mmCIF file of all heavy atoms in Angstrom:
data_model
loop_
_atom_site.group_PDB
_atom_site.id
_atom_site.type_symbol
_atom_site.label_atom_id
_atom_site.label_comp_id
_atom_site.label_asym_id
_atom_site.label_seq_id
_atom_site.Cartn_x
_atom_site.Cartn_y
_atom_site.Cartn_z
ATOM 1 N N PHE A 18 0.647 8.120 1.822
ATOM 2 C CA PHE A 18 1.706 7.121 1.952
ATOM 3 C C PHE A 18 2.856 7.435 1.028
ATOM 4 O O PHE A 18 3.994 7.351 1.358
ATOM 5 C CB PHE A 18 1.152 5.713 1.574
ATOM 6 C CG PHE A 18 0.237 5.149 2.584
ATOM 7 C CD1 PHE A 18 -0.904 4.326 2.243
ATOM 8 C CD2 PHE A 18 0.521 5.251 3.924
ATOM 9 C CE1 PHE A 18 -1.736 3.775 3.181
ATOM 10 C CE2 PHE A 18 -0.297 4.661 4.887
ATOM 11 C CZ PHE A 18 -1.403 3.953 4.538
ATOM 12 N N ASN A 19 2.530 7.884 -0.189
ATOM 13 C CA ASN A 19 3.585 8.251 -1.125
ATOM 14 C C ASN A 19 4.376 9.458 -0.718
ATOM 15 O O ASN A 19 5.559 9.569 -0.919
ATOM 16 C CB ASN A 19 3.026 8.439 -2.517
ATOM 17 C CG ASN A 19 2.782 7.136 -3.274
ATOM 18 O OD1 ASN A 19 3.628 6.262 -3.261
ATOM 19 N ND2 ASN A 19 1.606 7.023 -3.911
ATOM 20 N N GLU A 20 3.628 10.378 -0.030
ATOM 21 C CA GLU A 20 4.304 11.621 0.393
ATOM 22 C C GLU A 20 5.154 11.422 1.655
ATOM 23 O O GLU A 20 6.325 11.964 1.754
ATOM 24 C CB GLU A 20 3.238 12.685 0.676
ATOM 25 C CG GLU A 20 3.784 14.010 1.141
ATOM 26 C CD GLU A 20 2.582 15.012 1.406
ATOM 27 O OE1 GLU A 20 1.818 15.237 0.484
ATOM 28 O OE2 GLU A 20 2.512 15.480 2.574
ATOM 29 N N LYS A 21 4.692 10.661 2.592
ATOM 30 C CA LYS A 21 5.360 10.515 3.893
ATOM 31 C C LYS A 21 5.924 9.195 4.211
ATOM 32 O O LYS A 21 6.637 8.990 5.144
ATOM 33 C CB LYS A 21 4.325 10.885 5.004
ATOM 34 C CG LYS A 21 3.839 12.316 4.897
ATOM 35 C CD LYS A 21 3.416 12.824 6.270
ATOM 36 C CE LYS A 21 3.236 14.355 6.250
ATOM 37 N NZ LYS A 21 2.943 14.885 7.580
ATOM 38 N N GLY A 22 5.519 8.150 3.430
ATOM 39 C CA GLY A 22 5.909 6.794 3.718
ATOM 40 C C GLY A 22 4.965 6.193 4.686
ATOM 41 O O GLY A 22 4.140 6.842 5.363
ATOM 42 N N PHE A 23 4.916 4.864 4.696
ATOM 43 C CA PHE A 23 3.948 4.092 5.527
ATOM 44 C C PHE A 23 4.076 4.443 7.017
ATOM 45 O O PHE A 23 3.123 4.724 7.686
ATOM 46 C CB PHE A 23 4.081 2.619 5.268
ATOM 47 C CG PHE A 23 3.102 1.791 6.100
ATOM 48 C CD1 PHE A 23 1.839 1.556 5.607
ATOM 49 C CD2 PHE A 23 3.470 1.267 7.321
ATOM 50 C CE1 PHE A 23 0.936 0.791 6.319
ATOM 51 C CE2 PHE A 23 2.588 0.474 8.076
ATOM 52 C CZ PHE A 23 1.301 0.276 7.564
ATOM 53 N N GLU A 24 5.252 4.387 7.516
ATOM 54 C CA GLU A 24 5.468 4.559 8.958
ATOM 55 C C GLU A 24 5.067 5.931 9.466
ATOM 56 O O GLU A 24 4.407 6.094 10.495
ATOM 57 C CB GLU A 24 6.897 4.298 9.294
ATOM 58 C CG GLU A 24 7.203 4.252 10.823
ATOM 59 C CD GLU A 24 8.559 3.767 11.133
ATOM 60 O OE1 GLU A 24 9.398 3.747 10.240
ATOM 61 O OE2 GLU A 24 8.769 3.344 12.317
ATOM 62 N N ALA A 25 5.451 6.982 8.711
ATOM 63 C CA ALA A 25 5.152 8.359 9.183
ATOM 64 C C ALA A 25 3.735 8.796 8.911
ATOM 65 O O ALA A 25 3.230 9.643 9.615
ATOM 66 C CB ALA A 25 6.117 9.301 8.430
ATOM 67 N N ALA A 26 3.056 8.168 7.941
ATOM 68 C CA ALA A 26 1.720 8.587 7.655
ATOM 69 C C ALA A 26 0.732 8.198 8.787
ATOM 70 O O ALA A 26 0.975 7.154 9.447
ATOM 71 C CB ALA A 26 1.207 7.883 6.396
ATOM 72 N N THR A 27 -0.211 9.053 9.021
ATOM 73 C CA THR A 27 -1.206 8.711 10.062
ATOM 74 C C THR A 27 -2.608 8.735 9.559
ATOM 75 O O THR A 27 -2.906 9.335 8.544
ATOM 76 C CB THR A 27 -1.136 9.802 11.242
ATOM 77 O OG1 THR A 27 -1.601 11.070 10.689
ATOM 78 C CG2 THR A 27 0.304 9.945 11.748
ATOM 79 N N MET A 28 -3.456 8.090 10.254
ATOM 80 C CA MET A 28 -4.900 7.982 9.856
ATOM 81 C C MET A 28 -5.544 9.407 9.931
ATOM 82 O O MET A 28 -6.406 9.731 9.179
ATOM 83 C CB MET A 28 -5.662 7.026 10.714
ATOM 84 C CG MET A 28 -5.233 5.517 10.495
ATOM 85 S SD MET A 28 -5.546 4.927 8.827
ATOM 86 C CE MET A 28 -7.013 3.958 9.160
ATOM 87 N N GLU A 29 -4.990 10.210 10.891
ATOM 88 C CA GLU A 29 -5.508 11.546 11.037
ATOM 89 C C GLU A 29 -5.260 12.389 9.771
ATOM 90 O O GLU A 29 -6.084 13.107 9.271
ATOM 91 C CB GLU A 29 -4.838 12.271 12.255
ATOM 92 C CG GLU A 29 -5.361 11.737 13.593
ATOM 93 C CD GLU A 29 -4.658 10.480 14.020
ATOM 94 O OE1 GLU A 29 -3.782 9.987 13.287
ATOM 95 O OE2 GLU A 29 -4.953 9.971 15.128
ATOM 96 N N GLU A 30 -4.010 12.241 9.233
ATOM 97 C CA GLU A 30 -3.666 12.930 8.039
ATOM 98 C C GLU A 30 -4.448 12.503 6.824
ATOM 99 O O GLU A 30 -4.878 13.240 5.977
ATOM 100 C CB GLU A 30 -2.139 12.717 7.727
ATOM 101 C CG GLU A 30 -1.236 13.518 8.737
ATOM 102 C CD GLU A 30 0.198 13.093 8.584
ATOM 103 O OE1 GLU A 30 0.512 11.887 8.394
ATOM 104 O OE2 GLU A 30 1.039 14.057 8.553
ATOM 105 N N ILE A 31 -4.659 11.165 6.758
ATOM 106 C CA ILE A 31 -5.441 10.597 5.659
ATOM 107 C C ILE A 31 -6.851 11.107 5.721
ATOM 108 O O ILE A 31 -7.490 11.530 4.720
ATOM 109 C CB ILE A 31 -5.429 9.084 5.696
ATOM 110 C CG1 ILE A 31 -4.035 8.579 5.439
ATOM 111 C CG2 ILE A 31 -6.430 8.431 4.706
ATOM 112 C CD1 ILE A 31 -3.833 7.114 5.672
ATOM 113 N N ALA A 32 -7.449 11.185 6.931
ATOM 114 C CA ALA A 32 -8.835 11.630 7.101
ATOM 115 C C ALA A 32 -8.910 13.113 6.716
ATOM 116 O O ALA A 32 -9.913 13.568 6.064
ATOM 117 C CB ALA A 32 -9.262 11.406 8.529
ATOM 118 N N LYS A 33 -7.931 13.892 7.151
ATOM 119 C CA LYS A 33 -7.907 15.338 6.868
ATOM 120 C C LYS A 33 -7.854 15.638 5.366
ATOM 121 O O LYS A 33 -8.527 16.445 4.821
ATOM 122 C CB LYS A 33 -6.746 16.001 7.558
ATOM 123 C CG LYS A 33 -6.735 17.562 7.347
ATOM 124 C CD LYS A 33 -5.571 18.152 8.116
ATOM 125 C CE LYS A 33 -5.545 19.673 7.990
ATOM 126 N NZ LYS A 33 -4.342 20.255 8.739
ATOM 127 N N ARG A 34 -6.981 14.813 4.670
ATOM 128 C CA ARG A 34 -6.904 15.036 3.209
ATOM 129 C C ARG A 34 -8.196 14.606 2.509
ATOM 130 O O ARG A 34 -8.562 15.218 1.511
ATOM 131 C CB ARG A 34 -5.757 14.099 2.676
ATOM 132 C CG ARG A 34 -5.319 14.426 1.249
ATOM 133 C CD ARG A 34 -4.302 13.381 0.793
ATOM 134 N NE ARG A 34 -3.033 13.646 1.454
ATOM 135 C CZ ARG A 34 -1.952 14.266 0.887
ATOM 136 N NH1 ARG A 34 -2.093 14.866 -0.277
ATOM 137 N NH2 ARG A 34 -0.844 14.412 1.518
ATOM 138 N N ALA A 35 -8.842 13.602 3.039
ATOM 139 C CA ALA A 35 -10.079 13.151 2.447
ATOM 140 C C ALA A 35 -11.327 13.956 2.912
ATOM 141 O O ALA A 35 -12.450 13.804 2.415
ATOM 142 C CB ALA A 35 -10.323 11.693 2.843
ATOM 143 N N GLU A 36 -11.071 14.875 3.827
ATOM 144 C CA GLU A 36 -12.104 15.758 4.409
ATOM 145 C C GLU A 36 -13.240 14.950 4.994
ATOM 146 O O GLU A 36 -14.440 15.205 4.839
ATOM 147 C CB GLU A 36 -12.657 16.673 3.306
ATOM 148 C CG GLU A 36 -11.614 17.642 2.735
ATOM 149 C CD GLU A 36 -12.147 18.572 1.743
ATOM 150 O OE1 GLU A 36 -13.219 18.312 1.115
ATOM 151 O OE2 GLU A 36 -11.521 19.607 1.458
ATOM 152 N N ILE A 37 -12.841 13.929 5.827
ATOM 153 C CA ILE A 37 -13.794 13.130 6.568
ATOM 154 C C ILE A 37 -13.230 12.880 7.971
ATOM 155 O O ILE A 37 -12.049 13.259 8.254
ATOM 156 C CB ILE A 37 -14.049 11.766 5.873
ATOM 157 C CG1 ILE A 37 -12.726 11.010 5.763
ATOM 158 C CG2 ILE A 37 -14.712 11.917 4.518
ATOM 159 C CD1 ILE A 37 -12.885 9.567 5.161
ATOM 160 N N SER A 38 -13.950 12.267 8.823
ATOM 161 C CA SER A 38 -13.483 11.969 10.149
ATOM 162 C C SER A 38 -12.630 10.667 10.180
ATOM 163 O O SER A 38 -12.877 9.805 9.322
ATOM 164 C CB SER A 38 -14.623 11.839 11.167
ATOM 165 O OG SER A 38 -15.430 10.692 10.881
ATOM 166 N N LYS A 39 -11.778 10.559 11.146
ATOM 167 C CA LYS A 39 -10.966 9.335 11.228
ATOM 168 C C LYS A 39 -11.868 8.156 11.486
ATOM 169 O O LYS A 39 -11.650 7.022 11.003
ATOM 170 C CB LYS A 39 -9.957 9.443 12.353
ATOM 171 C CG LYS A 39 -9.004 8.269 12.398
ATOM 172 C CD LYS A 39 -7.834 8.567 13.380
ATOM 173 C CE LYS A 39 -8.324 8.583 14.782
ATOM 174 N NZ LYS A 39 -7.173 8.582 15.747
ATOM 175 N N ALA A 40 -12.975 8.382 12.245
ATOM 176 C CA ALA A 40 -13.926 7.334 12.542
ATOM 177 C C ALA A 40 -14.573 6.785 11.242
ATOM 178 O O ALA A 40 -14.823 5.545 11.190
ATOM 179 C CB ALA A 40 -14.985 7.846 13.431
ATOM 180 N N THR A 41 -14.751 7.649 10.271
ATOM 181 C CA THR A 41 -15.326 7.169 9.019
ATOM 182 C C THR A 41 -14.442 6.188 8.320
ATOM 183 O O THR A 41 -14.895 5.211 7.737
ATOM 184 C CB THR A 41 -15.654 8.379 8.113
ATOM 185 O OG1 THR A 41 -16.530 9.265 8.769
ATOM 186 C CG2 THR A 41 -16.208 7.949 6.820
ATOM 187 N N ILE A 42 -13.113 6.417 8.373
ATOM 188 C CA ILE A 42 -12.194 5.517 7.730
ATOM 189 C C ILE A 42 -12.312 4.108 8.335
ATOM 190 O O ILE A 42 -12.309 3.088 7.609
ATOM 191 C CB ILE A 42 -10.746 6.055 7.853
ATOM 192 C CG1 ILE A 42 -10.551 7.376 7.141
ATOM 193 C CG2 ILE A 42 -9.751 4.979 7.310
ATOM 194 C CD1 ILE A 42 -9.216 7.925 7.215
ATOM 195 N N TYR A 43 -12.482 4.074 9.694
ATOM 196 C CA TYR A 43 -12.502 2.810 10.321
ATOM 197 C C TYR A 43 -13.789 1.992 10.040
ATOM 198 O O TYR A 43 -13.885 0.778 10.363
ATOM 199 C CB TYR A 43 -12.333 3.039 11.877
ATOM 200 C CG TYR A 43 -10.903 3.358 12.273
ATOM 201 C CD1 TYR A 43 -10.589 4.603 12.783
ATOM 202 C CD2 TYR A 43 -9.910 2.364 12.046
ATOM 203 C CE1 TYR A 43 -9.284 4.930 13.106
ATOM 204 C CE2 TYR A 43 -8.573 2.678 12.434
ATOM 205 C CZ TYR A 43 -8.215 3.974 12.931
ATOM 206 O OH TYR A 43 -6.908 4.213 13.281
ATOM 207 N N ILE A 44 -14.744 2.617 9.445
ATOM 208 C CA ILE A 44 -15.976 1.906 9.016
ATOM 209 C C ILE A 44 -15.622 0.950 7.903
ATOM 210 O O ILE A 44 -16.164 -0.130 7.771
ATOM 211 C CB ILE A 44 -17.045 2.912 8.546
ATOM 212 C CG1 ILE A 44 -17.602 3.725 9.746
ATOM 213 C CG2 ILE A 44 -18.221 2.221 7.879
ATOM 214 C CD1 ILE A 44 -18.534 4.837 9.328
ATOM 215 N N TYR A 45 -14.610 1.341 7.065
ATOM 216 C CA TYR A 45 -14.259 0.605 5.889
ATOM 217 C C TYR A 45 -12.951 -0.140 6.022
ATOM 218 O O TYR A 45 -12.762 -1.173 5.356
ATOM 219 C CB TYR A 45 -14.162 1.575 4.643
ATOM 220 C CG TYR A 45 -15.425 2.360 4.462
ATOM 221 C CD1 TYR A 45 -15.524 3.685 4.970
ATOM 222 C CD2 TYR A 45 -16.456 1.832 3.761
ATOM 223 C CE1 TYR A 45 -16.663 4.425 4.709
ATOM 224 C CE2 TYR A 45 -17.626 2.525 3.541
ATOM 225 C CZ TYR A 45 -17.720 3.875 4.090
ATOM 226 O OH TYR A 45 -18.909 4.632 3.856
ATOM 227 N N PHE A 46 -12.016 0.366 6.838
ATOM 228 C CA PHE A 46 -10.738 -0.237 6.976
ATOM 229 C C PHE A 46 -10.372 -0.362 8.511
ATOM 230 O O PHE A 46 -10.542 0.598 9.228
ATOM 231 C CB PHE A 46 -9.628 0.563 6.239
ATOM 232 C CG PHE A 46 -9.932 0.698 4.768
ATOM 233 C CD1 PHE A 46 -10.498 1.866 4.311
ATOM 234 C CD2 PHE A 46 -9.600 -0.292 3.892
ATOM 235 C CE1 PHE A 46 -10.794 2.019 2.946
ATOM 236 C CE2 PHE A 46 -9.831 -0.160 2.498
ATOM 237 C CZ PHE A 46 -10.488 0.967 2.068
ATOM 238 N N LYS A 47 -9.924 -1.550 8.874
ATOM 239 C CA LYS A 47 -9.753 -1.823 10.319
ATOM 240 C C LYS A 47 -8.516 -1.063 10.864
ATOM 241 O O LYS A 47 -8.414 -0.772 12.061
ATOM 242 C CB LYS A 47 -9.527 -3.333 10.555
ATOM 243 C CG LYS A 47 -10.794 -4.148 10.300
ATOM 244 C CD LYS A 47 -10.571 -5.585 10.560
ATOM 245 C CE LYS A 47 -9.616 -6.225 9.564
ATOM 246 N NZ LYS A 47 -9.469 -7.690 9.738
ATOM 247 N N SER A 48 -7.547 -0.839 10.025
ATOM 248 C CA SER A 48 -6.225 -0.212 10.492
ATOM 249 C C SER A 48 -5.540 0.401 9.299
ATOM 250 O O SER A 48 -5.900 0.219 8.156
ATOM 251 C CB SER A 48 -5.394 -1.296 11.153
ATOM 252 O OG SER A 48 -5.070 -2.278 10.209
ATOM 253 N N LYS A 49 -4.412 1.076 9.599
ATOM 254 C CA LYS A 49 -3.590 1.707 8.594
ATOM 255 C C LYS A 49 -3.000 0.518 7.776
ATOM 256 O O LYS A 49 -2.890 0.651 6.582
ATOM 257 C CB LYS A 49 -2.510 2.535 9.241
ATOM 258 C CG LYS A 49 -1.574 3.265 8.196
ATOM 259 C CD LYS A 49 -0.631 4.186 8.843
ATOM 260 C CE LYS A 49 0.426 3.543 9.617
ATOM 261 N NZ LYS A 49 1.544 4.534 9.989
ATOM 262 N N GLU A 50 -2.605 -0.570 8.455
ATOM 263 C CA GLU A 50 -2.090 -1.650 7.751
ATOM 264 C C GLU A 50 -3.083 -2.204 6.733
ATOM 265 O O GLU A 50 -2.787 -2.600 5.570
ATOM 266 C CB GLU A 50 -1.683 -2.720 8.782
ATOM 267 C CG GLU A 50 -1.254 -4.120 8.112
ATOM 268 C CD GLU A 50 -1.250 -5.227 9.097
ATOM 269 O OE1 GLU A 50 -2.336 -5.546 9.660
ATOM 270 O OE2 GLU A 50 -0.205 -5.802 9.310
ATOM 271 N N ASP A 51 -4.272 -2.348 7.213
ATOM 272 C CA ASP A 51 -5.395 -2.931 6.399
ATOM 273 C C ASP A 51 -5.634 -2.019 5.155
ATOM 274 O O ASP A 51 -5.850 -2.519 4.027
ATOM 275 C CB ASP A 51 -6.690 -3.065 7.223
ATOM 276 C CG ASP A 51 -7.821 -3.702 6.435
ATOM 277 O OD1 ASP A 51 -7.533 -4.783 5.835
ATOM 278 O OD2 ASP A 51 -8.979 -3.244 6.464
ATOM 279 N N LEU A 52 -5.560 -0.734 5.363
ATOM 280 C CA LEU A 52 -5.760 0.260 4.297
ATOM 281 C C LEU A 52 -4.656 0.153 3.237
ATOM 282 O O LEU A 52 -4.858 0.106 2.041
ATOM 283 C CB LEU A 52 -5.802 1.631 4.855
ATOM 284 C CG LEU A 52 -6.015 2.830 3.897
ATOM 285 C CD1 LEU A 52 -7.141 2.599 2.884
ATOM 286 C CD2 LEU A 52 -6.293 4.124 4.681
ATOM 287 N N TYR A 53 -3.398 0.118 3.716
ATOM 288 C CA TYR A 53 -2.223 -0.009 2.870
ATOM 289 C C TYR A 53 -2.325 -1.302 2.010
ATOM 290 O O TYR A 53 -2.117 -1.336 0.812
ATOM 291 C CB TYR A 53 -0.951 0.039 3.670
ATOM 292 C CG TYR A 53 0.293 -0.268 2.844
ATOM 293 C CD1 TYR A 53 0.948 0.775 2.223
ATOM 294 C CD2 TYR A 53 0.824 -1.521 2.682
ATOM 295 C CE1 TYR A 53 2.092 0.622 1.424
ATOM 296 C CE2 TYR A 53 1.924 -1.798 1.955
ATOM 297 C CZ TYR A 53 2.542 -0.740 1.326
ATOM 298 O OH TYR A 53 3.663 -0.990 0.536
ATOM 299 N N TYR A 54 -2.594 -2.360 2.687
ATOM 300 C CA TYR A 54 -2.738 -3.680 2.060
ATOM 301 C C TYR A 54 -3.765 -3.675 1.006
ATOM 302 O O TYR A 54 -3.636 -4.214 -0.124
ATOM 303 C CB TYR A 54 -2.999 -4.745 3.109
ATOM 304 C CG TYR A 54 -2.925 -6.152 2.623
ATOM 305 C CD1 TYR A 54 -1.703 -6.797 2.475
ATOM 306 C CD2 TYR A 54 -4.156 -6.886 2.368
ATOM 307 C CE1 TYR A 54 -1.641 -8.100 2.033
ATOM 308 C CE2 TYR A 54 -4.004 -8.252 1.931
ATOM 309 C CZ TYR A 54 -2.804 -8.808 1.787
ATOM 310 O OH TYR A 54 -2.745 -10.131 1.350
#
């Protein structure tokens, strides 16, 4: 988010940086909005 801004950031990029699958993120957070919040 800090690097790209909220709008440009994607869940795919976040998952790649965390070295996990995008599906794993959705186990804990419903959406990008939910994660930012």
